Amino acid sequence: MKRLLLLAGEESGAIYARRIAARAKELFPGVEVRGYGEYGFTTADLAVFGFWEVLKRIFFFLRVRRTMERAIDEWRPDAVCTVDYPGLNLRLASYAKSKGIRAVHVVCPQVWAWHRGRIPKIEASLDALCCFFPFEPSFFRAGFAHFVGHPLAEEFAAGDARRGERAGDPRLVALLPGSRLGEIRGILPTLLEAVRGLDCRCVIPAANAQAYAEIEREVERWRGAGSGCPPVDVRVGGAREAFAEAACAAVASGTATLEAAFAHCPTVLVYRVGRILAFLARRLIKIKHVGLANIIWEHCHSGDDPSGGASDPLGGYPMLELLQEDMTVKNVRKSIENFISDDKLRLIASSRLAEATDLMRTDGDSISKIVRFLV
């Protein structure tokens, strides 16, 4: 392999893409790797949140698509590897395959959650699909989708730690409102109000400089709106360190919730979208949970009663979820208060997260497996 086009549209996918690029250069000395950045597009430009935000920038995304299709035609890579970001990436992978170029996608689209009718189209668009969760290949034809293990499992090496024992600060709360500006504006104000008046201190790891600036603006507005604000440390990066240090976390749905799970950090998952998107999601999504730790837990405990009884504050699952109208200041505050005041509850949550993340392990190096599917 001499040329690899490696496309990741969001920061979470870009992290994996950088590791794939590094491993490809180790396994194939001299390989040239290009991505969106070489054609003038950054993850900050591409990571647009919400149906209306995408619609407002539709001409930009059409330009991205045309540019990348032209790049495929002119540069003629030996393989195209797309990482997550399926709306655009799967279209570009399909275009590459139509030109006789090997197309591999990393991170399975969530067909197990909604719109399983997409499966034949996905199979026709790609040569191979690399999955991070053990149950995903079963939705596709034999030999097409492959469970490679989750890269985070190797990075965190969670099995090396004694399950449930964490040295976190019992008064430190990590707040992660998402990496997109729309997520930060829609979620962070609720998280900040939830900790107002609590005996704690907070850390907010920003995904990038742009997110950092937006978070700082929201924190200043919050401080100016009243008293009782606990100390808040806003950082660029450092999410994993924050999870290791914190007693608990409130995290917007996404990759960060998996990082929290691998760190065994007791977590309340939060998310809220616009009314139209929420209306559609409730009619299309066929699963009870959005947190991947909870989804894996339920899949591997099928047939069991996961309720845990009325006395279980976690509802029998590893991670609390507060979505849409349930994501209120009152509910988030109660969840955080429970975690920082109850050592036993934190231990239960940590143990369940450890069990769920153990299921995402496999023999060997997931990134090397992905690279080998490119040839």
Side-chain angles (χ1 to χ4, degrees), residues 66-84:
R66 287 194 298 268
T67 299
M68 300 315 299
E69 287 178 348
R70 187 164 60 249
I72 290 168
D73 289 335
E74 295 175 358
W75 192 50
R76 293 296 300 180
D78 298 298
V80 170
C81 179
T82 51
V83 185
D84 208 359

Side-chain angles (χ1 to χ4, degrees), residues 259-270:
E259 293 183 322
F262 277 107
H264 305 171
C265 181
T267 297
V268 52
L269 181 154
V270 298

Side-chain angles (χ1 to χ4, degrees), residues 67-348:
T67 299
M68 300 315 299
E69 287 178 348
R70 187 164 60 249
I72 290 168
D73 289 335
E74 295 175 358
W75 192 50
R76 293 296 300 180
D78 298 298
V80 170
C81 179
T82 51
V83 185
D84 208 359
Y85 201 64
L88 178 59
N89 274 348
L90 285 178
R91 288 180 172 86
L92 293 173
S94 178
Y95 184 81
K97 186 180 178 185
S98 74
K99 300 295 181 177
I101 296 168
R102 184 162 179 80
V104 176
H105 186 73
V106 179
V107 182
C108 180
Q110 294 181 346
V111 293
W112 35 266
W114 69 289
H115 199 176
R116 294 186 185 181
R118 294 179 295 165
I119 291 174
K121 186 175 181 180
I122 292 170
E123 291 175 338
S125 299
L126 302 167
D127 292 294
L129 175 64
C130 296
C131 303
F132 288 170
F133 303 111
F135 60 86
E136 291 175 322
S138 64
F139 289 91
F140 298 89
R141 70 171 186 264
F144 171 75
H146 310 270
F147 172 52
V148 297
H150 203 293
L152 289 179
E154 299 144 29
E155 293 176 36
F156 277 87
D160 295 340
R162 294 181 65 185
R163 180 167 301 178
E165 294 190 9
R166 305 179 65 250
D169 182 332
R171 292 290 167 183
L172 181 63
V173 179
L175 305 178
L176 286 89
S179 59
R180 300 160 173 163
L181 298 186
E183 289 175 324
I184 294 167
R185 293 165 188 156
I187 292 171
L188 184 55
T190 298
L191 302 187
L192 290 171
E193 281 303 312
V195 297
R196 188 187 293 276
L198 294 184
D199 179 17
C200 67
R201 59 188 185 90
C202 302
V203 57
I204 308 179
N208 50 50
Q210 189 178 37
Y212 176 88
E214 188 63 32
I215 290 169
E216 283 280 26
R217 282 192 286 269
E218 292 293 343
V219 170
E220 286 306 309
R221 290 191 192 102
W222 168 68
R223 286 179 176 142
S227 60
C229 301
V232 173
D233 174 19
V234 183
R235 311 170 179 174
V236 176
R240 296 180 190 181
E241 292 77 8
F243 289 136
E245 297 166 5
C248 65
V251 186
S253 178
T255 301
T257 63
L258 264 182
E259 293 183 322
F262 277 107
H264 305 171
C265 181
T267 297
V268 52
L269 181 154
V270 298
Y271 214 69
R272 184 163 53 209
V273 296
R275 292 181 180 179
I276 294 175
L277 187 55
F279 174 85
L280 294 172
R282 282 174 169 149
R283 280 150 183 79
L284 294 173
I285 294 176
K286 306 300 183 185
I287 55 176
K288 293 190 292 184
H289 297 278
V290 300
L292 287 165
N294 289 345
I295 292 167
I296 290 169
W297 180 273
E298 185 167 43
H299 176 80
C300 295
H301 288 77
S302 60
D304 298 343
D305 177 12
S307 66
S311 62
D312 185 350
L314 300 176
Y317 286 87
M319 194 172 283
L320 289 167
E321 293 187 9
L322 296 175
L323 309 174
Q324 291 303 109
E325 62 272 6
D326 291 330
M327 198 195 89
T328 64
V329 170
K330 179 180 178 181
N331 288 344
V332 176
R333 178 181 288 133
K334 180 181 178 182
S335 299
I336 292 173
E337 281 184 308
N338 287 343
F339 277 135
I340 62 178
S341 64
D342 190 335
D343 294 345
K344 183 179 178 181
L345 179 61
R346 293 201 303 273
L347 178 62
I348 291 169

